[in-house]
Amino acid sequence: MGMRPVPPRRFASALIVAPAASLLLPAVAGADSPSTLEPKSNAAREIADLWWFMLIVATVVFAIVIALVFLAILRRRGRLGDRIAGRLGGNWLLAVGGVGVPIVILAVVFALTMATLPATAPSTQAEGGGVEIEVTARQWFWDVAYPEQEVVTANEIHVPVGEPVTVTVASTDVIHSFWVPQLNRKIDAIPGRENELSFTADEPGTYRGLCAEFCGLQHANMGFLVIAEAPDDFAAWIDDQQQPAAAPATAPQRRGEEVFMSKGCASCHTIAGTPADGNVGPDLTHLATRQTIAAATLENDRGELGGWVLDPQHIKAGAKMPGTDLSGPELQALLDYLQRLR
């Protein structure tokens, strides 16, 4: 069966309504959603400015196209459209509007894009030293290391405000992509290859990052946080992270450490200063200092942590962490111990 032709009025209405509706999507995405249009660095600001320019140009072009669509409709219906088309130049209008104007627009957009690229390049952002961070993407979380400070953490990146930060990104399994929309463009994490991205945060804040390359079942739950703080606060955080894990101070915490070591947790996770040296899952040395768990999927509180320990597959199906068969007292003791890791 052939397709029925779309009536001109309905076609024109669809052209108007669809783009207008799409402009509302960012507004209803929620305050917690990261937005390129709320830049917190020079690189992100350059990207946002380019986006706004392209939006304005696209809106003007869209309005012109809609006007031409209505003109075509009028021409089909009588002499009025022919008179309007004649006054506008007829074929000259098609030549200028269909060829000349697009060439000019594309040339301008290309030039502005090339002018924006240096602001997002590592070489221009990282001049004069700064903080170097190594991020390794894994299904489905992020290992984070500060090689100069000998600090290892996961899913949470602290940076000093006003200082250049260079992030070296790699992957151990499939292709991922590291993206903090409010700080810079995305950069791919490719197995066997290292890529660099740099930025300088303008002001303190917590900025959500995400994987921007489909990487498997839990791609949508592979987030992280970038916490920009005053240089003194960053230095204090580094000093705290360089310390070994806090030793259990109470009987329940000591019992929790025994549960951790005897129930298989130590074979997958590292806790500095203890026999736990696994490398399958995130480093847990200072777990209790982090705002979230499970790669920014859950808040780091006792209830969420307990649910994650007992049945992570219910929360992130396909994750490498299996469920645990713990009694009630064992779980509570383990939570006491994990919440001691500050």
Side-chain angles (χ1 to χ4, degrees), residues 74-338:
L74 290 174
R75 292 193 66 176
R76 289 188 60 184
R77 296 200 168 196
R79 296 178 180 177
L80 174 62
D82 292 333
R83 290 199 299 270
I84 294 174
R87 291 178 181 177
L88 292 177
N91 293 335
W92 279 104
L93 175 64
L94 295 177
V96 173
V99 179
V101 173
I103 290 176
V104 172
I105 291 174
L106 290 175
V108 172
V109 170
F110 177 78
L112 291 176
T113 300
M114 295 303 294
T116 301
L117 285 178
T120 68
S123 58
T124 58
Q125 289 290 315
E127 290 178 355
V131 179
E132 295 186 2
I133 304 173
E134 296 177 353
V135 175
T136 303
R138 306 169 68 176
Q139 289 177 314
W140 288 277
F141 67 95
W142 308 83
D143 281 327
V144 181
Y146 296 72
E148 293 184 1
Q149 293 84 5
E150 297 183 347
V151 166
V152 177
T153 182
N155 302 316
E156 194 168 290
I157 302 171
H158 287 243
V159 300
V161 171
E163 296 185 20
V165 176
T166 299
V167 181
T168 301
V169 181
S171 171
T172 63
D173 38 52
V174 301
I175 297 177
H176 302 273
S177 191
F178 178 96
W179 188 29
V180 189
Q182 292 175 277
L183 297 178
N184 206 337
R185 61 186 172 88
K186 74 182 186 72
I187 192 75
D188 285 345
I190 303 172
R193 179 189 177 106
E194 291 184 349
N195 288 326
E196 282 190 358
L197 180 75
S198 298
F199 58 83
T200 301
D202 289 340
E203 60 185 68
T206 299
Y207 309 118
R208 186 175 179 87
L210 60 153
C211 178
E213 184 78 24
F214 181 73
C215 57
L217 184 61
Q218 290 300 328
H219 162 69
N221 289 323
M222 189 175 170
F224 61 94
L225 301 180
V226 174
I227 300 172
E229 51 198 355
D232 289 345
D233 293 334
F234 172 74
W237 179 83
I238 287 290
D239 182 67
D240 178 72
Q241 296 293 305
Q242 290 173 333
Q243 307 304 314
T250 65
Q253 291 171 4
R254 288 190 288 272
R255 173 58 180 150
E257 184 180 38
E258 293 175 1
V259 172
F260 186 91
M261 299 300 171
S262 64
K263 294 295 183 177
C265 305
S267 62
C268 291
H269 298 279
T270 291
I271 297 180
T274 75
D277 60 355
N279 61 2
V280 177
D283 186 292
L284 302 182
T285 303
H286 297 283
L287 170 66
T289 66
R290 300 172 195 165
Q291 296 183 21
T292 66
I293 57 175
T297 303
L298 303 172
E299 296 294 327
N300 189 8
D301 58 40
R302 191 178 183 92
E304 300 280 26
L305 182 59
W308 175 251
V309 168
L310 285 179
D311 191 6
Q313 295 301 314
H314 178 72
I315 299 168
K316 290 181 73 167
K320 290 183 173 62
M321 181 170 170
T324 54
D325 184 17
L326 300 178
S327 66
E330 287 176 330
L331 175 62
Q332 296 305 316
L334 178 60
L335 294 178
D336 286 338
Y337 173 62
L338 294 177

